[in-house]
């Protein structure tokens, strides 16, 4: 008896001691990772500001919990307020129909007035700008190649403020501002840090491409909003489902949560309304532009893999089998059918009229056939979509501002939406200017932000592959879903501004990299100070870069030499 007790104690000591290689590495500064409890692995807690920070701000201990809750919403709202002021500042300028506004602004006006797009006369834009009330909505149907949701959104602003530049840009600016607020909250939930969430939102607020697209009546900004909203819904669903798993796991005599194979593999997670909301958002994205389909597929796969990770963490021996049995069908039903129904419902204006383009195709061109048992409107819609698909894949006509998706991340070829060269004393050009000015709206990201994002994406890839960081994987999924599909259509005429759909995820990547530069919680004060200075300098340089390019984001008249100074690359002209 006396001989076995020491052996038992020695065995316990042997288990508790770290491996010898860790002991040897301690002399070189190695610090073993802290042990994280199962509850915190399933639902990580939010990072709380240090007591020292609250003391410096003069917040008493009794009010700190309330202050944290206020900051959790107050910080994002403040960032969104700044973003909104920037986006609505002189929103109606330039008073012109810029770039593809010539399609979407007029299609939106026709939609809200008669439920379908009309065939507008050529050179009608000047008449609209001069006296929109005198321009009748054409009753002849127009052939359009994008679904209607984005145009319904634009039309809502026109309904509120008229058929004017401010009217057709209003709702896009609203969504651009709200997307900054959403990214702050999404970043906070993703990183468990209000600071990093607000940092990501701030970066989005000062990104030039997002800014220009927020002030232009194009569809891609609307698509970006719904994609980001879907990502946020899936994040909330992830937290809630993991919390439900944690609540079902057993607790030992010491109050410690323990994994359980039976619970992890067999627990039904029940109704998941936030995943249904994500399906609705993805349907609206798909009903704005077709590339939302790729994002639906990518996000659907991502949320299923999140379920695999949750069940594995909870103790599942065969997590993929468990997800296949318990989660795969509910995940599919919550997203794909919801998205498809949303898409079809978005065509209601076209369905209820008899004047839309191809609306009577089934009745006149294909009255019989093996599919005649389907409603005529559904067969006509399918034919319309087939024609649109053929249009998109065969769109290979050259354009001055087209670009290859390989060049997007380095801003190889931006798109000029508007350009004028007013003489001195006209259209905002200072009287003292020698020669002419330049007024341009250039759809280009803030260069220092995008170039920093190149390194941030490498960091995210490293975190995902070598550290298995699910946050890095989620960011990479968002970037890939919006970017990679375009590589399959490199012969098609495509543009840099399509990249706005994954700009929020670039900002999350940069925020994650900056958080690593600052240092993880628990780092010594010297490390955190040096990191904070380095990260702060980079953020200030990005903000300065946005301010410097402000004139060519807003169409402000500047001397021609000042405009040339902002053309950093020859391909920007």
């Amino acid at each position: 008896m006396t001989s076995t007790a020491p052996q038992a104690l020695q065995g316990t000591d042997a288990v508790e001691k770290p491996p010898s290689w860790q002991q040897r590495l301690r002399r070189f500064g190695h610090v073993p990772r802290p042990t994280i409890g199962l509850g915190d692995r399933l639902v990580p807690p939010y990072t709380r500001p240090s007591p020292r920070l609250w003391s410096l701000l003069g917040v008493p201990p009794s009010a700190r919990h309330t202050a944290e809750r206020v900051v959790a919403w107050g910080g994002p709202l403040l960032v969104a307020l700044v973003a909104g002021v920037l986006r609505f500042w002189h929103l109606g300028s330039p008073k012109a129909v810029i770039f593809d506004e010539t399609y979407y602004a007029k299609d939106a006006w026709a939609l809200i007035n008669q439920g379908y797009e009309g065939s507008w006369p050529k050179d009608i834009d000047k008449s609209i700008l001069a006296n929109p009330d005198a321009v009748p909505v054409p009753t002849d149907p127009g052939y359009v190649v994008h679904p209607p949701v984005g145009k319904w959104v634009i039309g809502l602003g026109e309904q509120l403020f008229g058929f004017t530049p401010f009217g057709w840009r209003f709702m896009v600016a609203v969504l651009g501002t709200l997307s900054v607020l959403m990214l702050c909250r999404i970043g906070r939930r993703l990183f468990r840090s209000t600071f990093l969430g607000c940092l990501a939102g701030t970066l989005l607020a000062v990104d030039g491409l997002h800014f220009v697209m927020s002030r232009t009546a194009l569809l891609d900004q609307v698509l970006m909003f719904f994609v980001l909203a879907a990502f946020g819904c899936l994040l909330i669903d992830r937290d809630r489902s993991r919390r439900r798993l944690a609540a079902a796991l057993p607790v030992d005599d010491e109050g410690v949560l323990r994994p359980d194979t039976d619970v992890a593999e067999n627990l039904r997670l029940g109704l998941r309304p936030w995943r249904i909301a994500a399906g609705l958002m993805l349907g609206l994205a798909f009903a704005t532009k077709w590339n939302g389909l790729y994002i639906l597929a990518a996000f659907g796969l991502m949320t299923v893999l999140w379920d695999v990770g949750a069940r594995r963490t909870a103790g599942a021996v065969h997590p993929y089998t468990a997800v296949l049995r318990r989660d795969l069908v509910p995940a599919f039903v919550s997203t794909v059918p919801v998205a498809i129904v949303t898409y079809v419902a978005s065509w209601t204006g076209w369905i209820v009229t008899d004047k839309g383009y191809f609306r009577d195709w089934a009745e006149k061109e294909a009255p019989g056939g093996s599919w005649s048992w389907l409603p005529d409107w559904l067969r006509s819609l399918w034919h319309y979509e087939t024609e649109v698909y053929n249009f998109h894949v065969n769109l290979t006509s050259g354009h001055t501002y087209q670009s290859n998706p390989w060049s997007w991340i380095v801003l190889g070829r931006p798109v000029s939406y508007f350009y004028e060269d007013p003489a001195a004393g006209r259209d905002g050009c200072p009287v003292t200017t020698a020669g002419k000015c330049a007024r341009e709206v250039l759809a280009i990201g803030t260069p220092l932000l995008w170039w920093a994002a190149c390194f941030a994406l490498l960091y995210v890839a490293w975190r995902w592959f070598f550290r298995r960081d699910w946050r890095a994987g989620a960011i990479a999924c968002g970037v890939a879903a919006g970017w990679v599909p375009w590589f399959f259509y490199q012969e098609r005429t495509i543009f840099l501004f399509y990249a706005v759909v994954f700009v929020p995820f670039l900002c999350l990547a940069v925020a994650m990299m900056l958080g690593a530069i600052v240092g993880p919680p628990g780092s010594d004060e010297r490390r955190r100070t040096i990191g904070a200075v380095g990260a702060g300098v980079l953020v200030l340089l990005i903000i300065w870069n946005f301010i410097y390019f402000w004139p060519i984001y807003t169409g402000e008249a500047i001397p021609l030499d000042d405009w040339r100074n902002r053309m950093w690359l020859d391909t920007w002209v």
Side-chain angles (χ1 to χ4, degrees):
M1 190 74 178
T2 55
S3 62
T4 57
Q7 290 176 2
L9 292 175
Q10 290 171 5
T12 303
D13 291 341
V15 172
E16 293 179 351
K17 289 181 180 179
S20 59
W21 65 268
Q22 289 185 343
Q23 290 180 326
R24 288 195 295 269
L25 287 177
R26 284 178 183 273
R27 71 185 67 178
F28 300 105
H30 169 73
V31 179
R33 294 184 185 178
T35 302
I36 302 175
L38 179 58
D40 287 349
R41 281 190 288 141
L42 282 172
V43 186
Y46 285 87
T47 302
R48 305 184 67 177
S50 67
R52 182 177 180 183
L53 175 62
W54 289 128
S55 298
L56 290 174
L57 296 175
V59 179
S62 59
R64 288 174 184 175
H65 181 67
T66 302
E68 288 177 9
R69 297 181 61 183
V70 170
V71 170
W73 272 103
L77 286 172
L78 180 60
V79 174
L81 176 62
V82 174
V85 170
L86 294 175
R87 279 150 181 75
F88 280 95
W89 184 263
H90 291 167
L91 182 61
S93 176
K95 187 180 178 181
V97 181
I98 65 176
F99 202 63
D100 281 353
E101 285 185 341
T102 188
Y103 305 115
Y104 307 128
K106 291 181 290 191
D107 287 344
W109 185 245
L111 270 178
I112 64 169
N113 279 280
Q114 60 191 18
Y116 63 93
E117 296 91 342
S119 179
W120 292 85
K122 293 183 178 180
D123 301 324
I124 196 67
D125 292 350
K126 292 182 180 179
S127 300
I128 293 173
L129 293 171
N131 186 7
D133 295 332
V135 177
V137 178
T139 56
D140 292 337
Y143 177 63
V144 296
V145 295
H146 290 297
V149 162
K151 288 166 281 188
W152 281 111
V153 170
I154 294 169
L156 178 58
E158 294 174 331
Q159 183 71 24
L160 293 172
F161 298 102
F163 196 24
T164 64
F166 181 87
W168 60 64
R169 296 170 191 162
F170 175 80
M171 281 304 301
V172 185
V174 168
L175 297 189
T177 303
L178 290 178
S179 65
V180 172
L181 175 62
M182 282 198 304
L183 190 65
C184 290
R185 294 289 297 179
I186 286 170
R188 179 180 184 271
R189 184 174 292 272
L190 186 69
F191 300 126
R192 288 314 202 246
S193 168
T194 301
F195 169 74
L196 289 181
C198 290
L199 177 58
T202 299
L203 294 175
L204 187 63
V206 298
D207 174 63
L209 183 60
H210 185 275
F211 176 77
V212 171
M213 296 298 288
S214 297
R215 293 167 55 88
T216 311
L218 270 64
L219 302 180
D220 299 84
Q221 185 79 346
V222 181
L223 170 65
M224 180 279 306
F225 175 83
F226 290 129
V227 169
L228 185 60
F231 184 79
C233 290
L234 291 176
L235 271 182
I236 298 173
D237 171 75
R238 182 184 186 275
D239 279 356
R240 292 197 171 194
S241 61
R242 291 170 77 92
R243 189 175 292 113
R244 196 171 299 171
L245 261 176
L249 292 174
V251 179
D252 64 14
D253 295 337
E254 298 179 355
V256 178
L257 199 67
R258 295 299 182 187
D260 185 279
T261 301
D262 182 63
V263 171
E265 294 190 351
N266 296 306
L267 180 68
R268 294 185 181 276
L269 297 175
L271 182 66
R272 298 169 68 168
W274 283 101
R275 194 145 67 178
I276 297 174
L280 175 63
M281 292 298 107
L282 290 168
L284 292 172
F286 172 33
T288 299
K289 289 191 78 172
W290 275 9
N291 49 318
L293 262 179
Y294 294 101
I295 297 163
L296 169 63
F299 281 9
L301 177 61
M302 179 179 69
T303 188
V304 170
L305 291 178
W306 284 352
D307 285 345
V308 171
R311 291 190 181 273
R312 179 190 289 117
T313 302
V317 178
H318 304 289
Y320 286 96
T321 303
V323 168
L324 183 63
R325 290 170 50 238
R326 299 296 186 193
D327 301 321
L328 188 60
V329 172
F332 178 85
V333 172
S334 299
T335 52
V336 177
V338 172
I340 292 174
V341 170
T342 302
Y343 179 84
V344 174
S346 72
W347 286 88
T348 300
W350 180 88
I351 293 170
V352 299
T353 184
D354 58 354
K355 296 182 179 179
Y357 204 88
F358 280 136
R359 178 61 184 84
D360 57 358
W361 175 86
E363 181 182 355
K364 293 184 177 180
E365 304 294 334
S370 56
W371 297 100
S372 58
W373 56 275
L374 291 173
D376 286 346
W377 66 264
L378 184 57
R379 292 192 295 134
S380 296
L381 180 59
W382 181 261
H383 175 74
Y384 195 168
E385 303 291 51
T386 303
E387 293 295 316
V388 169
Y389 175 78
N390 291 330
F391 168 84
H392 281 303
V393 297
N394 294 307
L395 183 61
T396 57
S397 57
H399 193 283
T400 305
Y401 293 107
Q402 71 181 69
S403 59
N404 190 287
W406 288 107
S407 68
W408 290 356
I409 194 65
V410 293
L411 303 176
R413 182 59 171 165
V415 182
S416 181
Y417 285 173
F418 171 84
Y419 184 86
E420 286 183 349
D421 53 353
R426 299 186 59 186
D427 295 329
C429 184
V431 178
T432 57
T433 302
K436 292 185 175 182
C437 286
R439 290 187 68 200
E440 183 172 33
V441 176
L442 187 66
I444 183 174
T446 303
L448 292 185
L449 172 59
W450 282 63
W451 296 340
C454 295
F455 297 97
L457 289 179
L458 294 176
Y459 172 71
V460 162
W462 176 80
R463 290 286 304 186
W464 185 29
F465 282 114
F466 295 105
R467 301 294 293 272
R468 310 310 301 168
D469 191 329
W470 74 271
R471 303 169 302 171
I475 294 170
C477 179
V479 174
W483 188 15
V484 170
W486 293 110
F487 289 97
F488 299 104
Y489 300 98
Q490 295 189 53
E491 299 300 321
R492 186 186 183 277
T493 307
I494 52 181
F495 302 92
L496 170 65
F497 65 81
Y498 294 172
V500 73
V501 71
F502 61 83
V503 166
F505 300 97
L506 293 182
C507 295
L508 288 172
V510 174
M512 189 174 187
M513 181 182 70
L514 291 173
I517 292 174
V518 172
S523 301
D524 61 79
E525 187 174 347
R526 181 173 179 272
R527 165 71 177 84
R528 300 276 282 187
T529 301
I530 294 174
V533 170
V537 168
L538 178 56
V539 172
L540 290 175
L541 286 174
I542 290 171
I543 295 174
W544 164 83
N545 201 201
F546 173 76
I547 295 171
Y548 179 71
F549 279 88
W550 173 272
I552 63 172
Y553 293 146
T554 59
E556 180 180 319
I558 55 176
L560 199 56
D561 287 341
D562 291 346
W563 174 82
R564 290 195 184 100
N565 290 338
R566 287 163 173 80
M567 297 297 105
W568 287 359
L569 300 178
D570 292 341
T571 55
W572 292 4
V573 179

